[in-house]
Each structure stands twice: as structure tokens, then as C-alpha cells.
Amino acid sequence: FVAVMMLIIMLLITKAVKPVLRREGLLAQKHSALTNKWLLQAINGIKEVKVAHREEFFEENGWEGIFQKLRLKFQVFFPFEGKQIECIRLQLNDLQEFPKKYWYLGNNSFLLHGFFNYRHIIFGRKKRKRKNFLSAFRAFF
């Protein structure tokens, strides 16, 4: 009798419970992968670009154009006296002016921390080197 009951329980587990657990496990794995991807994008953001030396990718794909477009909408200021660096003060929601592929920068922990401390994000350009940057720092203007 015990052997028959164990056989029935084993069949029930392999035919009914195992497929449900497998399906739930795959869904959890997929959700975990998406969460990890989001966290990595939020944590790494600009640091990832610098470490991987991908600045050229962004320059080739229009950072200069983005800056020129935004400088028509926002006031330009020069926070560093004697340096040829022009900047635009942005709010967090102004990042939607960037192409959609760069919206992940709004989740960058460095930018979020700076924004909530200083209430702005700085998008700037070094004129001579034609390099753009996105940062958060205290600027008086």
C-alpha cells in the first residue's frame, strides 16, 4: 500500500507540479534578468561609457547635435571663468529632449543624486575639444 501511494505521489509531482514550477522558475529568471539589466544601467550609466571608452560612439551619433538643439531652448552659461566650456542647466524631465536611446541616463544614480542635491543637471560642451558631458554639480549662475 505504501509503495502504491508513493508511486501515485511521484506521478502527481512529475506530471502536474513539475511543469508549473518550471514555468514559474523561467518567469522569475526572466524578471530577474530584466531587473538586473535595469539596475546595471542605472548604476553604471556614464561611468560605463567612460570605462568602456565609448565616448566616440556618442559623439559620432549626435551629442553635438543634441547640444545645439538644446542650446536654442535653454539659457547657455559659462560656469568656469577663463575656460571655453558652455553649459545648459536641465531639469530631470528635460532628459526627454534627448533621443529615446539615451533616456536611461535619467536612471543614473550619480545624476539622480546630483539632481536631488542641486536641483539641476548640467549638459556642457568643451568648445576646443568638441567634447560633451552630462553631470551634476553645484554651479552659481
Side-chain angles (χ1 to χ4, degrees):
F1 176 73
V2 173
V4 173
M5 287 302 286
M6 288 183 74
L7 182 63
I8 291 172
I9 291 173
M10 194 166 65
L11 286 173
L12 180 68
I13 289 173
T14 57
K15 297 297 180 184
V17 176
K18 189 175 179 181
V20 172
L21 290 176
R22 181 171 176 74
R23 185 175 58 244
E24 291 300 317
L26 289 173
L27 283 173
Q29 192 176 30
K30 183 178 178 182
H31 177 73
S32 177
L34 288 173
T35 302
N36 287 338
K37 178 182 174 185
W38 176 81
L39 284 172
L40 285 173
Q41 287 176 342
I43 292 168
N44 293 334
I46 292 175
K47 287 184 262 182
E48 178 183 75
V49 170
K50 287 293 208 184
V51 170
H53 302 291
R54 289 195 268 172
E55 296 96 334
E56 297 82 26
F57 169 80
F58 290 106
E59 289 172 11
E60 291 170 7
N61 288 293
W63 277 112
E64 186 63 31
I66 296 168
F67 187 83
Q68 293 303 328
K69 176 183 156 192
L70 291 177
R71 78 187 307 258
L72 297 174
K73 287 187 170 188
F74 300 98
Q75 180 182 359
V76 176
F77 68 99
F78 299 85
F80 306 107
E81 200 170 310
K83 305 234 184 220
Q84 296 235 336
I85 298 175
E86 58 182 340
C87 297
I88 300 169
R89 179 180 184 215
L90 302 174
Q91 298 297 314
L92 198 56
N93 63 341
D94 294 330
L95 292 178
Q96 67 187 352
E97 298 287 333
F98 285 53
K100 197 170 189 174
K101 65 182 176 180
Y102 302 125
W103 285 2
Y104 73 92
L105 293 170
N107 291 325
N108 178 278
S109 60
F110 172 75
L111 289 177
L112 287 172
H113 178 74
F115 175 76
F116 289 114
N117 280 330
Y118 306 122
R119 309 308 296 162
H120 63 262
I121 297 171
I122 303 297
F123 184 36
R125 178 176 77 134
K126 296 179 185 180
K127 283 186 172 183
R128 287 191 182 152
K129 295 184 179 180
R130 296 193 154 270
K131 295 215 176 211
N132 296 53
F133 61 90
L134 190 62
S135 186
F137 60 87
R138 188 172 205 158
F140 301 101
F141 46 90

